[in-house]
Amino acid sequence: MATFKEFRNNVKPNWCPGCGDFSIQAAIQRAAANVDLEPEDLAVISGIGCSGRISGYINAYGLHGIHGRALPIAQGVKLANRELTVIASGGDGDGFAIGMGHTVHAIRRNLNITYIVMDNQIYGLTKGQTSPRSAEGFKTKSTPEGSIESTLSPLEIAMSAGATFVAQSFSSDLKQLTALIEAGIKHEGFSLINVFSPCVTFNKINTYDWFKENIVNLEQFPDYDPANRIAAMNKIMETNGMLTGLIYQNTQRKSYEDMISGFGTEALAKQDLTLSQEHFNKLVAEFK
Ligand SMILES: Cc1ncc(C[n+]2csc(CCOP(=O)(O)OP(=O)(O)O)c2C)c(N)n1
Ligand code: SF4
């Protein structure tokens, strides 16, 4: 059985010291070991951004894709090999700006993928422009008078897109984050885990202290039922999207793969995909 150390490789992350992304990397490695994966059972597919580097820092299959396209690649990987556990990851710019079209449709499609968004509420790699997650009035070099766009709520969007698993966490809360990633991996469908991950270099507003002051942990509500969709939506709105924990889970809906008729459970490479002459003749007959 692999330990979290076996999910480490010898590549030294070049994130800035103190970047929240370090803990997300550690949480993925711990969660993978805790659910008894071996490195060859896991694929980590990432987009572009500081956060996108994560696929290179985990000892598993990995692909550092293109900006906003982690999810199309991850879905392709999952369809080609259902035996792999697939984690997609990237920044809030990657998933909620350029990649938002893919995010919404991946959510409603519900393939069995865990999507971890490293949400620092800014574009880090390109040196600090506003992202859709930046607060109104947020000042950057490209918005010197403050952002005049409203802030996007990924949790509300995910809920309205028919998500079957919605969670949020904070990179400083390694215990909660690891448990949520484990739950996301075990969930038979698409899991969105949005993780507050401070950018210590360019975001001087949404700092570790700011998150600690503003986060509302769902543990405070012992009667909260994550199976209740309306309660989940209400709680997201009541807390202005700042709550952490497992917000919503629907275990009734089948994954996309499970709904494709005749789709085998093994990797496509292991399946016999030969078209029999009889089947071929039947197909041709349909066009006559
Ligand atoms: C098609 C395309 N457009 C724009 C860029 C430039 N670009 C690279 S990363 C990035 C945004 C990074 O922000 P985010 O996704 O939030 O990740 P972070 O760096 O904050 O982790 C942008 C706009 C690009 N690489 N490709
Ligand atoms: S610029 Fe920000 S997001 Fe990028 S590595 Fe540095 S602290 Fe992390």
Side-chain angles (χ1 to χ4, degrees), residues 46-141:
S46 60
I48 295 292
C50 298
S51 43
R53 295 183 186 134
I54 196 159
S55 54
Y57 302 153
I58 293 177
N59 182 33
Y61 291 112
L63 200 143
H64 192 173
I66 48 173
H67 196 31
R69 305 295 182 268
L71 286 173
I73 300 165
Q75 290 171 99
V77 169
K78 187 68 188 178
L79 286 172
N81 187 352
R82 292 181 66 180
E83 293 172 60
L84 283 175
T85 290
V86 178
I87 291 181
S89 68
D92 45 309
D94 200 70
F96 303 145
I98 189 169
M100 189 43 137
H102 294 297
T103 302
V104 167
H105 293 290
I107 288 170
R108 54 180 279 276
R109 201 169 287 131
N110 200 36
L111 265 89
N112 191 357
I113 289 172
T114 304
Y115 183 33
I116 301 171
V117 180
M118 300 149 95
D119 180 1
N120 55 16
Q121 318 204 332
I122 200 165
Y123 289 178
L125 187 74
T126 45
K127 299 191 182 298
Q129 298 79 20
T130 51
S131 90
R133 293 285 298 133
S134 303
E136 281 186 66
F138 190 73
K139 287 188 179 165
T140 66
K141 276 180 247 168

Side-chain angles (χ1 to χ4, degrees), residues 2-233:
T3 68
F4 71 91
K5 290 185 183 158
E6 277 146 274
F7 289 91
R8 288 181 181 160
N9 60 22
N10 56 8
V11 185
K12 195 173 172 289
N14 65 351
W15 291 315
C16 311
C19 176
D21 295 355
F22 283 100
S23 305
I24 301 179
Q25 176 200 2
I28 293 174
Q29 290 162 328
R30 276 158 210 261
N34 291 351
V35 298
D36 288 338
L37 294 178
E38 300 293 331
E40 62 268 27
D41 300 328
L42 176 65
V44 180
I45 313 296
S46 60
I48 295 292
C50 298
S51 43
R53 295 183 186 134
I54 196 159
S55 54
Y57 302 153
I58 293 177
N59 182 33
Y61 291 112
L63 200 143
H64 192 173
I66 48 173
H67 196 31
R69 305 295 182 268
L71 286 173
I73 300 165
Q75 290 171 99
V77 169
K78 187 68 188 178
L79 286 172
N81 187 352
R82 292 181 66 180
E83 293 172 60
L84 283 175
T85 290
V86 178
I87 291 181
S89 68
D92 45 309
D94 200 70
F96 303 145
I98 189 169
M100 189 43 137
H102 294 297
T103 302
V104 167
H105 293 290
I107 288 170
R108 54 180 279 276
R109 201 169 287 131
N110 200 36
L111 265 89
N112 191 357
I113 289 172
T114 304
Y115 183 33
I116 301 171
V117 180
M118 300 149 95
D119 180 1
N120 55 16
Q121 318 204 332
I122 200 165
Y123 289 178
L125 187 74
T126 45
K127 299 191 182 298
Q129 298 79 20
T130 51
S131 90
R133 293 285 298 133
S134 303
E136 281 186 66
F138 190 73
K139 287 188 179 165
T140 66
K141 276 180 247 168
S142 58
T143 51
E145 292 177 16
S147 169
I148 52 172
E149 295 180 3
S150 69
T151 311
L152 182 139
S153 168
L155 305 180
E156 284 174 51
I157 289 177
M159 291 299 299
S160 56
T164 58
F165 185 109
V166 179
Q168 187 158 259
S169 192
F170 178 32
S171 65
S172 271
D173 191 344
L174 191 60
K175 195 168 159 234
Q176 181 199 53
L177 178 57
T178 306
L180 287 173
I181 297 174
E182 283 176 51
I185 291 174
K186 287 183 193 155
H187 177 70
E188 300 276 339
F190 190 91
S191 41
L192 171 71
I193 308 176
N194 191 59
V195 188
F196 299 131
S197 179
C199 171
V200 292
T201 303
F202 295 111
N203 190 336
K204 303 294 182 188
I205 304 290
N206 310 110
T207 59
Y208 283 94
D209 286 344
W210 184 89
F211 280 113
K212 279 179 197 150
E213 277 163 30
N214 286 283
I215 276 170
V216 181
N217 193 320
L218 270 173
E219 279 174 12
Q220 289 173 32
F221 309 100
D223 296 333
Y224 184 80
D225 175 12
N228 184 334
R229 192 162 183 251
I230 294 173
M233 203 57 164

